[in-house]
Amino acid sequence: MAISKGPQAFPRTEFLRRLAAAKSEMKRREIDALIVSDTYNITYLTGYTANSGYVPQALVVSLHEEEPTFILRRQDAPAAIHQTFMDRDRITGYPEALIGNPTMDGYDTVIDFISEIGLANRGIGLELRGLSAKAAEKFGTRLPKAKIVDCTNVVTWIRIVKSDLEISVMREAAAISDAAIMRAAEVIRPGVREADVIAEIMGALARGANGKPGTTRFPNVSLCSSPRTGTPHISWSEDVFRDGSQINLELGGVRHGYCAGIMRTFSIGAPSERLRRVHEAEMEGLEAALDAVRPGSTCSDVANAFNRTIEKHGLKKDSRCGYAHGIGWLEPTASLQDGDMTELKPNMTFHLMLGNWIDEDFGYVISETFRVAESGVEVLTKAPRKLFEL
Amino acid sequence: MAISKGPQAFPRTEFLRRLAAAKSEMKRREIDALIVSDTYNITYLTGYTANSGYVPQALVVSLHEEEPTFILRRQDAPAAIHQTFMDRDRITGYPEALIGNPTMDGYDTVIDFISEIGLANRGIGLELRGLSAKAAEKFGTRLPKAKIVDCTNVVTWIRIVKSDLEISVMREAAAISDAAIMRAAEVIRPGVREADVIAEIMGALARGANGKPGTTRFPNVSLCSSPRTGTPHISWSEDVFRDGSQINLELGGVRHGYCAGIMRTFSIGAPSERLRRVHEAEMEGLEAALDAVRPGSTCSDVANAFNRTIEKHGLKKDSRCGYAHGIGWLEPTASLQDGDMTELKPNMTFHLMLGNWIDEDFGYVISETFRVAESGVEVLTKAPRKLFEL
C-alpha cells in the first residue's frame, strides 16, 4: 500500500519560496539544472530528514519544473514520499543493485535522468565541496556536452537568511538546548561518570522542551573536562567527574534538522583565579559582540567587537567567533571573523561561538545562538549566561 | 602546559601492526606516502576519535617513518596528542586562518608537508571517495610531479579483519546494543511519545553495559513505527506509540569508535498474520545465513543462504544482507550480497542486516553483528532473537 504524507514542519508555499530563490540564482549562473547533493540543502529544499545520505542521492532542481525531483535509493523512497512536500511522482528510487557495486552507483541514475529530461547539453550546477572526487569526475565524463558549473554554496547562501517560520523552529530548538544545559548543571557532580551525564543530556535533547521533542539526529555533544579543557571536540571520557574539575560543554537541540548551539563552562568547586578572569573577559566580549549585531553591520564588526574587548584583558582568541548556523549545525558560508565583510541582514542566524582554547590543557567556552533582528539582536538560547559553579 | 596522554584503548604495538599492513600495501602500489583523510581510517591507525573531521585533516603515512604524522586544525591538536599513540612531535596543527578561508585550507598544509619531507615527486596515495572534488583537484594541481594513486579502500580493506583486541571491544559494544534493545522493550508502550523512548535508548547507549560506558558519538538510531515501517532511515516521529503499532528499531552501541549494530521488530499487541509470517521466514533465513558463515565461504554464500530460504516462503529481499562492520558503522568494502566473492576469514566482522522493506508502508527488521570464527560464526549481539510483543 502507498505510504501517507507525514506531518509537515513547513507549508508547501515555504518550500516553493526557497526553490524560487534557488532558481533565481540558477538563471544568473545560466544553468538549467542544479544537482543538490548536500544532505542539509536537500532538507532545506524538501523537508527530508532521513539518514540516507551515506549513499548517493540528489535533488534535481530544473528551471523548467515547479517541483524538484528527488533521486535516492529505492528503500529510502517511501521516507521521501512521507517527509517531503513534493508529489510522489517526483520521488525516484534507484535500484538496490547500485549499492556496493564497484562500477555504478546512484549518481549514474541522476545522470541518466538529466539526459532523459533533455538537459545533457545545458548548464548543470554541482555542489563540488560535498561531492566526492569520483562522483564529480563521473558527471564530467558521462555528460561531456554539459557545461558543468561549480554551485557549491548557491543553496547554502540562500539558507543564511531564515524565514519567520524557520526562526520559530530555531526558537524551539534553542529551548531544548537550554533544557539540556540546565539538566547538565543538575547532574554533574564529583564521582558521577561522564557517560551518565551524557545519558541525561541525550535524554533532555530527545525529550525536548515546552512539549516539543527533539527531532532527528542530534549534533555531537562535546564534554571536555580537565585535563581536556584545551580541546574542543572530544566527546566525553570513561572517567568520573572529580572535585576541582572544570567541564566545557557544547551541545545543541534540534527541531526538524535545525540546530541551536550553546556552550557553557562548569566548575566543580570554586573556579581557579585564571578561569574566573577568563570568564569575566569573555562575558564582556560576548556582550560587546552582541551589541555590534544589527542590520548593516558586518560579520567582521561582530568578531572585532569581541576581539578588541578581550584584548583589553590580555586575552586573544585564535579561532573565528562563530558561523552561520541552522540546518545541520554549521552553514559553510559567513564566519564571524575579522575580514569577513558579509553584511548582516534581518533573520540571519549565527552561532556566536566564543570557545577559546588557550593552552593545550586549558580552555574556556561560552556561546549563544542569535538572530539578527530588525534593529539589533535576538539571542535565541537563554540558559543563564554564567560560569556554573557546582 | 602540555596535555597528558589519555588512557589508550589499544597498545602501541597494535597500531604499529595496523600501520605495517598499510605500508605493505603502499609498497605494492609503489607509493611513498598515503594521505589518510577518512575519519574512520584515522581512528583505526591512531586511536583518534574527536569530532573534528568536518574541516580538512589528514594522517600522512610515510614509508620512510615508523609513526605517521597527523595534520589537523590547531585547536584540535591537543586532542590528537591526548588520544593517539604517537609522539607529540607527530601532531601538526595548522593555523586557524585556514578555517573559513575562501582560497586556502588545511589540505594546503598537508601538501606543503609532502614537499617538506621530499616526496613531492613520488607516488602519493589519496582516498578519493571521501575526499571532495575540490580537495582532490588541489593535490593534483599543487603536486604536479607526484604520481597520484587512488588508494580509496587500502586501509578500509585492512580494517575488515579485526585483531582479537578489536573483537573484545566489539563484544563490549554489542553488549551495549543488547542493553539498549532491552530498554526499548521495557519502555515502548501505547501513549508514550517516541521521543521519550529515544531518550531512554540514548541513555542506555551512553550508560553502557558491564561497567563499560558507550564512548564517542553514537550512530543514528532509526525508530520507524507504523505507518513508517516500510522506511529504514527515519529517526523517529513526534507522535506517541499506538495500540496495534509495529516498530522497527535499528541502533548500535559504540566503544572507542567500534559499533555493533542490531535491529529488532516490536509489536504493540498481537502482530498481524502477515508480520508473523514474515518474521518466521526471516528467522529461518537468519539461521541459514549464520550456518553458512565459516572461513572459506564467501559473502555471496551467506547472502544466498538467506535469500534461498526466504524465497521458499514467497519472500524476497531487494537490498544486500549486510556489510563489513566496525569503526563508524559501515565499512565500504565487502557486502553480504549475491556475487560478492570476498572470502570469509577469521575475525572478519559483519552486520548481518536483514531489514526487508517490502511495501511502501510495511517492512520488517532483524539483524545481528557477527564475527567469522575459526570454525563457524560467533554472534556478538545477544538480545533475544524474537518479534517483541509488548
Side-chain angles (χ1 to χ4, degrees), chain A residues 20 42 53 61 77 89 93 125 192 236 242 252 272 296 304 348 355 374 377:
Chain A
I42 292 173
V61 180
D89 64 1
V192 172
W236 59 89
R242 297 181 192 285
S272 68
N304 287 331
M348 283 185 175
E374 289 59 32
V377 66

Side-chain angles (χ1 to χ4, degrees), chain A residues 326-383:
Chain A
I327 300 171
W329 202 263
L330 193 151
E331 295 177 357
T333 49
S335 291
L336 300 172
Q337 69 184 356
D338 181 45
D340 188 321
M341 301 313 286
T342 306
E343 189 184 314
L344 300 186
K345 292 182 186 158
N347 276 9
M348 283 185 175
T349 49
F350 289 88
H351 186 213
L352 178 64
M353 194 292 296
L354 302 177
N356 199 346
W357 298 280
I358 297 168
D359 280 344
E360 268 186 20
D361 66 345
F362 176 67
Y364 166 89
V365 301
I366 191 148
S367 80
E368 304 286 13
T369 293
F370 73 77
R371 164 179 90 89
V372 181
E374 289 59 32
S375 60
V377 66
E378 179 192 357
V379 180
L380 303 181
T381 40
K382 298 185 187 305

Side-chain angles (χ1 to χ4, degrees), chain A residues 145-160:
Chain A
K145 293 187 179 161
K147 183 185 66 154
I148 304 277
V149 180
D150 180 1
C151 289
T152 293
N153 273 345
V154 164
V155 177
T156 325
W157 273 109
I158 295 167
R159 278 164 56 194
I160 192 173

Side-chain angles (χ1 to χ4, degrees), chain B residues 47-272:
Chain B
Y48 182 75
T49 61
N51 298 304
S52 57
Y54 64 94
V55 293
Q57 59 183 25
L59 189 75
V60 180
V61 181
S62 161
L63 265 195
H64 314 289
E65 305 276 350
E66 183 177 53
E67 292 189 3
T69 297
F70 191 10
I71 296 166
L72 77 172
R73 189 178 182 180
R74 194 210 64 81
Q75 66 172 223
D76 293 308
I81 295 169
H82 187 69
Q83 292 191 321
T84 70
F85 79 97
M86 289 107 74
D87 291 338
R88 55 182 299 128
D89 64 0
R90 292 293 174 171
I91 314 293
T92 298
Y94 64 74
E96 287 295 322
L98 298 182
I99 301 295
N101 178 322
T103 56
M104 289 176 69
D105 66 20
Y107 291 122
D108 287 286
T109 309
V110 175
I111 291 165
D112 292 342
F113 178 75
I114 293 291
S115 296
E116 279 160 29
I117 60 174
L119 300 181
N121 60 352
R122 310 302 292 264
I124 304 289
L126 292 182
E127 297 182 324
L128 283 184
R129 196 196 30 250
L131 209 59
S132 76
K134 289 199 161 181
E137 192 187 334
K138 178 177 290 191
F139 277 93
T141 311
R142 288 206 47 208
L143 292 170
K145 293 186 178 162
K147 184 185 65 154
I148 304 277
V149 180
D150 180 2
C151 289
T152 294
N153 273 344
V154 165
V155 177
T156 326
W157 272 110
I158 294 168
R159 276 164 56 194
I160 192 173
V161 176
K162 272 69 177 176
S163 67
D164 290 346
L165 291 171
E166 291 176 283
I167 295 292
S168 297
V169 168
M170 287 187 72
R171 284 196 193 101
E172 294 170 359
I176 298 173
S177 309
D178 296 339
I181 289 289
M182 299 317 286
R183 186 65 188 142
E186 284 170 358
V187 293
I188 295 176
R189 291 292 179 272
V192 172
R193 290 190 314 172
E194 294 190 2
D196 294 328
V197 166
I198 290 292
E200 296 294 328
I201 288 171
M202 295 284 191
L205 291 173
R207 290 192 182 93
N210 309 316
K212 307 271 189 187
T215 62
T216 67
R217 158 163 227 182
F218 309 146
N220 295 315
V221 176
S222 296
L223 188 158
C224 301
S225 61
S226 307
R228 288 170 292 278
T229 64
T231 79
H233 294 122
I234 287 180
S235 298
W236 58 89
S237 86
E238 296 193 72
D239 208 350
V240 296
F241 294 103
R242 296 180 193 287
D243 263 323
S245 273
Q246 178 189 331
I247 299 99
N248 295 352
L249 184 61
E250 179 176 32
L251 56 79
V254 190
R255 291 276 302 163
H256 310 301
Y258 289 79
C259 304
I262 188 168
M263 294 168 137
R264 289 293 185 270
T265 297
F266 301 77
S267 176
I268 302 182
S272 68

Side-chain angles (χ1 to χ4, degrees), chain A residues 1-4 6-7 48-52 54-55 73-76 78-79 81-83 88 96-97 99-101 128-134 136-137 150 152 193 195-196 198-200 202-208 211-222 227-238 255-256 317-320 330 333 335 337 340 353 355 357-362, chain B residues 1-4 6-7 48-52 54-55 73-76 78-79 81-83 88 96-97 99-101 128-134 136-137 150 152 193 195-196 198-200 202-208 211-222 227-238 255-256 317-320 330 333 335 337 340 353 355 357-362:
Chain A
M1 269 183 44
I3 191 168
S4 55
Y48 182 76
T49 61
N51 298 303
S52 57
Y54 64 94
V55 294
R73 188 177 182 180
R74 195 209 64 79
Q75 66 173 221
D76 294 307
I81 295 169
H82 187 69
Q83 292 191 321
R88 53 184 299 129
E96 288 295 323
I99 302 294
N101 178 321
L128 282 184
R129 193 194 33 250
L131 209 60
S132 76
K134 289 200 161 179
E137 190 187 337
D150 180 1
T152 293
R193 290 191 313 172
D196 292 330
I198 290 292
E200 296 294 327
M202 296 282 194
L205 291 172
R207 290 192 183 93
K212 308 271 189 186
T215 61
T216 67
R217 157 164 229 184
F218 309 145
N220 295 315
V221 176
S222 295
R228 288 170 293 278
T229 64
T231 80
H233 294 123
I234 286 181
S235 297
W236 59 89
S237 86
E238 296 193 72
R255 292 276 302 163
H256 310 301
K317 173 171 157 67
D318 282 340
S319 53
R320 60 184 164 180
L330 193 151
T333 49
S335 291
Q337 69 184 356
D340 188 321
M353 194 292 296
W357 298 280
I358 297 168
D359 280 344
E360 268 186 20
D361 66 345
F362 176 67
Chain B
M1 268 182 50
I3 191 168
S4 55
Y48 182 75
T49 61
N51 298 304
S52 57
Y54 64 94
V55 293
R73 189 178 182 180
R74 194 210 64 81
Q75 66 172 223
D76 293 308
I81 295 169
H82 187 69
Q83 292 191 321
R88 55 182 299 128
E96 287 295 322
I99 301 295
N101 178 322
L128 283 184
R129 196 196 30 250
L131 209 59
S132 76
K134 289 199 161 181
E137 192 187 334
D150 180 2
T152 294
R193 290 190 314 172
D196 294 328
I198 290 292
E200 296 294 328
M202 295 284 191
L205 291 173
R207 290 192 182 93
K212 307 271 189 187
T215 62
T216 67
R217 158 163 227 182
F218 309 146
N220 295 315
V221 176
S222 296
R228 288 170 292 278
T229 64
T231 79
H233 294 122
I234 287 180
S235 298
W236 58 89
S237 86
E238 296 193 72
R255 291 276 302 163
H256 310 301
K317 173 171 156 67
D318 282 340
S319 52
R320 60 184 164 180
L330 193 152
T333 49
S335 291
Q337 68 183 357
D340 187 321
M353 196 291 297
W357 299 280
I358 297 168
D359 281 344
E360 268 186 19
D361 66 345
F362 176 67

